[in-house]
Amino acid sequence: MTAPLPPQKPAARYAFEQIPASAADDDLFVCLTFSGGGTRAAAFSYGVLQKLRDTAIVRAKDGRHESLLDEVDCISSVSGGSFTAAYYALFGARIFQDYRKEFLIELLRDRQRVLEQAQADSAKCQQVARDPKDCPTFPASTEIHVVDVGLDAVADPARRARLLAIGTSFSLTPDEVKLLIDAAGEILDKNPDFQNLLAKLR
C-alpha cells in the first residue's frame, strides 16, 4: 500500500485558487476537457483550440474584442488530449506556430523519444496528490454551458467512417492530421450548444 502523503501547506499546493488572476472576464468561466485517443485526440483537441482562437467575441463588461480562446480558464485532459493541453499551458499562442508541424507530424515519428517522455511524465504524475479543494467553485450566478463534441457528430457517413478509422497510434500522416483539425472546427460550427454560447457572448 502506498504511504499517505504528508499534509501540504495551502500556499504550496497546486490548487485552482492558487492560479494568478488573468485578464479573462470574471463573468465567464470556460473550462475545456480533452479526451484520450493518441495522436488522433491530440490533433482533434488542437483543432478545437484553433477554432476557439478564430471565434471573435465582445466582452460584456468593457466592450473589448477578443477571441473565445482568451477566455479559457482551465483545461482538463487525459492521455492523447494532454499533449495539446500541456503544450498550450507551457507555450500559449506559440502552439499555433509549431505544434502541428513539430509535434503532430514530426516529433511523433520518433516513437522511442515519445515513450521515454511518457514514462517521465508518468513518474511525475504519481507525485501529485488529489484534493477536492483543487476543483474550481462556481458562484450561484454562474451560467454553465456544456458543449459536447466528437467525431460521431460528422454528418457524412463516409467522412465520419474515415475519421473514426484514423488510428490512435503515435503515427499519423499530415493529411490525417489536417482531417482531424478541420473536423473539430466544423463540428463546433454546427453544434447547437456552442452556437447558443456564442449567441450569449456576442
Side-chain angles (χ1 to χ4, degrees):
M1 178 181 293
T2 303
L5 290 171
Q8 301 292 312
K9 295 181 179 179
R13 289 190 302 113
Y14 182 80
F16 190 80
E17 61 267 22
Q18 304 296 338
I19 300 175
S22 68
D25 194 332
D26 292 337
D27 297 329
L28 176 64
F29 185 89
V30 180
C31 186
L32 308 179
T33 57
F34 294 155
S35 65
T39 315
R40 184 173 69 183
F44 187 83
S45 55
Y46 171 76
V48 169
L49 290 183
Q50 184 172 272
K51 181 62 181 180
L52 296 181
R53 178 203 63 183
D54 296 339
T55 301
I57 63 170
V58 180
R59 285 172 40 137
K61 66 179 181 182
D62 57 17
R64 191 172 73 191
H65 292 255
E66 61 184 8
S67 78
L68 187 51
L69 183 60
D70 293 327
E71 289 296 333
V72 171
D73 294 279
C74 67
I75 301 177
S76 174
S77 62
V78 296
S79 195
S82 296
F83 287 122
T84 306
Y87 203 99
Y88 183 65
L90 286 170
F91 304 116
R94 191 181 114 184
I95 193 172
F96 303 112
Q97 301 171 15
D98 52 26
Y99 182 76
R100 178 173 178 169
K101 179 179 183 296
E102 295 185 12
F103 184 81
L104 290 177
I105 296 174
E106 298 294 340
L107 178 60
L108 291 180
R109 290 175 178 168
D110 187 343
R111 299 190 182 193
Q112 183 58 37
R113 182 165 37 157
V114 171
L115 176 60
E116 291 173 356
Q117 183 61 56
Q119 291 171 335
D121 291 343
S122 177
K124 292 178 182 178
C125 180
Q126 294 176 22
Q127 302 172 9
V128 180
R130 294 185 178 181
D131 188 321
K133 294 180 181 179
D134 291 341
C135 300
T137 56
F138 298 93
S141 59
T142 300
E143 186 174 352
I144 300 174
H145 294 262
V146 178
V147 181
D148 185 12
V149 295
L151 295 177
D152 289 340
V154 176
D156 185 301
R159 187 177 180 217
R160 181 172 63 248
R162 172 72 181 91
L163 288 164
L164 290 172
I166 296 175
T168 58
S169 69
F170 286 127
S171 181
L172 292 183
T173 67
D175 286 343
E176 289 172 331
V177 169
K178 185 178 187 306
L179 283 173
L180 290 164
I181 293 172
D182 291 346
E186 292 172 18
I187 290 170
L188 281 172
D189 271 338
K190 297 177 181 178
N191 184 285
D193 294 321
F194 183 67
Q195 295 305 320
N196 181 50
L197 170 62
L198 293 183
K200 291 180 178 293
L201 295 175
R202 288 173 170 168

